[in-house]
Amino acid sequence: MGKMTPKKQKTRQMMLDAASQSFRSNGYTGIGVDGIAKAAGVTSGAFYAHFGSKNKAFNAVLDVGLDEVIEAIPKIQQEAGSQWVRAFAEYYLGQAHRDDLACGCAMATLSPEVVRADSEVHLVYEKKMKKIAELVSEGLEGESIEERLSRAWAMLGVLIGGLTIARAVKTQSAAEEIASSICSAAINVSGKIKSVAEIKD
């Protein structure tokens, strides 16, 4: 395939953004190609020309969504230093992020969809999530890589599961109570945190 023109690149990005928001808001089965194309302001034919299928569009959305997390973690580690886990947890469980399904974290919104996907998607997801866990572990203190990774997985599991529960309850007061508890649990399970200088080393 030849190099896309700037116009085609812009069109593809519009469709990718629309697909990302649609899958995160509605789930894979909750939105069709026609709906995604309409949200992007293009025809269904244009969608198929760029992605080939709804499944391939989901794969692209998953890839980009998890890359956003991969890019964000080192930034927050550098900006918040030894308080980075608290800063990340408070953002992740904050009301703005809880209420924003369409643009929220792909780990929470797309993981349930991956469960029902094919093995190729599972492999992509596994590779990206391992990278995310490794980045988290690099900001934690510990006697061994295995120990840090174990706490990284635990922290991620607490945050992703906690966000899902906080989003599912009806009242804001319940959501806040859950978010506060989960934030504390994520901080506790992460253990000792490296300083900015230690993370750089």
Side-chain angles (χ1 to χ4, degrees), residues 105-163:
C105 176
M107 292 190 297
T109 53
L110 299 182
S111 292
E113 306 301 323
V114 174
V115 173
R116 293 179 283 272
D118 59 35
S119 59
E120 183 179 346
V121 177
H122 282 251
L123 285 173
V124 171
Y125 179 83
E126 180 178 331
K127 179 180 178 182
K128 298 279 186 181
M129 287 301 297
K130 281 184 174 180
K131 178 62 177 176
I132 290 168
E134 287 169 3
L135 288 170
V136 170
S137 74
E138 288 172 7
L140 306 179
E141 289 190 4
E143 295 297 323
S144 66
I145 294 174
E146 290 76 17
E147 179 195 338
R148 294 194 300 272
L149 268 175
S150 178
R151 286 192 280 122
W153 282 121
M155 189 192 93
L156 289 169
V158 167
L159 288 174
I160 295 167
L163 178 61

Side-chain angles (χ1 to χ4, degrees), residues 42-110:
V42 301
T43 65
S44 297
F47 178 94
Y48 283 114
H50 278 268
F51 293 108
S53 69
K54 178 182 171 182
N55 191 52
K56 288 182 179 177
F58 177 78
N59 293 356
V61 165
L62 178 67
D63 198 48
V64 170
L66 294 180
D67 278 345
E68 289 172 357
V69 183
I70 288 169
E71 292 172 8
I73 289 172
K75 290 179 181 178
I76 197 167
Q77 286 174 338
Q78 291 300 316
E79 290 170 2
S82 61
Q83 295 298 309
W84 80 266
V85 171
R86 178 179 294 278
F88 183 65
E90 288 178 348
Y91 158 76
Y92 203 79
L93 294 158
Q95 184 178 350
H97 188 236
R98 292 199 312 266
D99 293 347
D100 193 1
L101 275 177
C103 298
C105 176
M107 292 190 297
T109 53
L110 299 182

Side-chain angles (χ1 to χ4, degrees), residues 31-42:
I31 189 73
V33 168
D34 291 345
I36 296 171
K38 183 178 180 181
V42 301

